[in-house]
Amino acid sequence: QVQFVESGGGLVQSGDSLRLSCVAPGFFLDGYAIGWFRQVPGKEREAVSCASSSDGSTVYTDSVKGRFTIFRDNAKNTVYLQMNSLKPEDTAVYYCAANLMRSRCAQRATLHEYAYWGQGTQVTVSS
């Protein structure tokens, strides 16, 4: 069964940086839009960013624009989320998933289009 494996989370201070990685053993990412999402207890899963396969375009939620960068390394079959200037409100479990219906990211993510959710990686930002 295909499942993403996220890594790179941790406990950092406000203003610090982290780089999250996302890989799916046995699944070739090329051809699919890949999204990063986050969730805090009691709240819905939120789309953070998406990287298209078809044209290299990217999408970010407003709260992370200018701070986070998503990029793909097709040779390593890995998608990264570089997170700079982290804030306490970025604290969440971060997940990645593949959009099996699109190779190009939509401006607004539709969660049911995404599959192969992993266990996530915890990011905690202290003030």
Side-chain angles (χ1 to χ4, degrees):
Q1 182 176 356
V2 176
Q3 187 175 41
F4 278 94
V5 178
E6 302 92 345
S7 62
L11 172 62
V12 296
Q13 294 186 334
S14 182
D16 286 350
S17 298
L18 282 174
R19 177 176 291 185
L20 306 184
S21 301
C22 168
V23 62
F27 178 70
F28 192 51
L29 302 184
D30 195 19
Y32 301 96
I34 304 298
W36 278 100
F37 302 81
R38 65 187 179 187
Q39 190 169 23
V40 297
K43 293 190 176 181
E44 293 185 354
R45 191 163 295 188
E46 172 191 25
V48 176
S49 184
C50 179
S52 300
S53 175
S54 56
D55 61 1
S57 62
T58 56
V59 175
Y60 299 92
T61 192
D62 286 345
S63 63
V64 307
K65 285 180 180 177
R67 300 188 298 120
F68 290 11
T69 303
I70 188 171
F71 57 101
R72 309 169 65 124
D73 185 335
N74 287 336
K76 294 184 177 180
N77 205 36
T78 302
V79 178
Y80 302 92
L81 185 67
Q82 177 66 41
M83 305 188 298
N84 299 330
S85 302
L86 282 161
K87 303 176 180 180
E89 50 264 44
D90 295 319
T91 295
V93 178
Y94 284 72
Y95 304 87
C96 62
N99 190 318
L100 300 186
M101 300 179 65
R102 299 175 186 269
S103 60
R104 187 175 187 275
C105 300
Q107 286 299 312
R108 177 173 290 184
T110 303
L111 262 64
H112 72 254
E113 294 181 349
Y114 286 83
Y116 307 148
W117 297 91
Q119 296 299 311
T121 185
Q122 175 72 48
V123 172
T124 304
V125 185
S126 64
S127 57

